[in-house]
Amino acid sequence: MKGITSDFSDNSINFGEISLRLATKEDQAVLYRIFEESRMELSYIEDENVRKSIVQQQYELDDVQTKKMFPRAEKIIVQYKGKPIGRYTIDKTNTDYRLIWIGFLHTWRSKGIGKYIIQSMMKEATHYMKGIELEVAKFNIAAYQLYKKLGFKIVMDKEATFEMYWRK
């Protein structure tokens, strides 16, 4: 990825230091940690054991459901200077790309990395004359606003989520 630098209030991200690789079985701990940190809606649960149990169940269910619905999807580890900082799951096997899941460790959010990754996907999808579809929870306002800013349009308003689509 190109050596673009983006300045933020507390640090500078050199996007040339971002690398991607397929997740392996050895990545289970970091995959779980990213998933766990993304479950902001469960932070209200005061009993940590109960919260951890719910997150573990959701993680396992998400994994089973993704494998069933998207058997050829790839889990990608996002690294900064070789250190795992995020992940996404994408299925590129159909007419359009399907971004199934994207998340970053808490300390790596709001630094432009997700935007950079999605813009890279958009360039690749354009090259292969494909669009990108995704689903975003309505309560995830920051993600929804990012997708909208990048040109994604709502194609279906579901009860708790928006189905969104982008194509150049």
Side-chain angles (χ1 to χ4, degrees), residues 14-163:
N14 179 346
F15 288 89
E17 297 284 351
I18 293 175
S19 60
L20 307 174
R21 64 175 175 78
L22 284 172
T24 65
K25 290 183 181 186
E26 290 76 32
D27 292 311
Q28 287 307 308
V30 74
L31 291 170
Y32 179 80
R33 183 171 165 219
I34 295 164
F35 185 88
E36 180 180 33
E37 288 190 18
S38 74
R39 291 301 181 249
M40 300 169 297
E41 72 275 14
L42 299 178
S43 61
Y44 70 91
I45 299 174
E46 293 179 15
D47 186 323
E48 187 173 339
N49 291 328
V50 170
R51 188 184 57 74
K52 286 188 177 280
S53 175
I54 292 170
V55 170
Q56 181 67 39
Q57 290 171 18
Q58 287 183 346
Y59 179 76
E60 291 169 4
L61 179 63
D62 180 74
D63 192 52
V64 168
Q65 188 175 13
T66 299
K67 286 177 183 172
K68 185 176 181 179
M69 293 176 66
F70 306 99
R72 294 182 287 178
E74 299 175 326
K75 284 186 183 174
I76 307 295
I77 298 290
V78 180
Q79 300 179 124
Y80 187 70
K81 296 183 179 181
K83 175 184 170 186
I85 62 166
R87 66 165 264 215
Y88 64 89
T89 305
I90 190 165
D91 185 348
K92 298 180 179 180
T93 61
N94 294 314
T95 306
D96 291 307
Y97 288 2
R98 175 72 180 193
L99 179 58
I100 301 161
W101 202 95
I102 186 167
F104 294 89
L105 294 171
H106 184 73
T107 57
W108 290 94
R109 292 189 196 137
S110 300
K111 298 186 184 303
I113 299 169
K115 178 180 177 181
Y116 178 73
I117 296 293
I118 293 168
Q119 286 175 322
S120 297
M121 284 179 205
M122 293 165 84
K123 287 178 186 173
E124 180 181 313
T126 298
H127 176 77
Y128 291 108
M129 296 182 288
K130 293 186 174 208
I132 301 173
E133 53 189 33
L134 57 84
E135 195 167 345
V136 61
K138 289 182 178 181
F139 66 81
N140 193 344
I141 296 165
Y144 168 74
Q145 289 175 339
L146 172 62
Y147 299 140
K148 189 175 173 183
K149 182 178 179 180
L150 291 174
F152 283 80
K153 305 287 185 214
I154 295 173
V155 294
M156 189 180 302
D157 184 344
K158 298 180 178 180
E159 188 173 323
T161 64
F162 292 121
E163 187 79 29

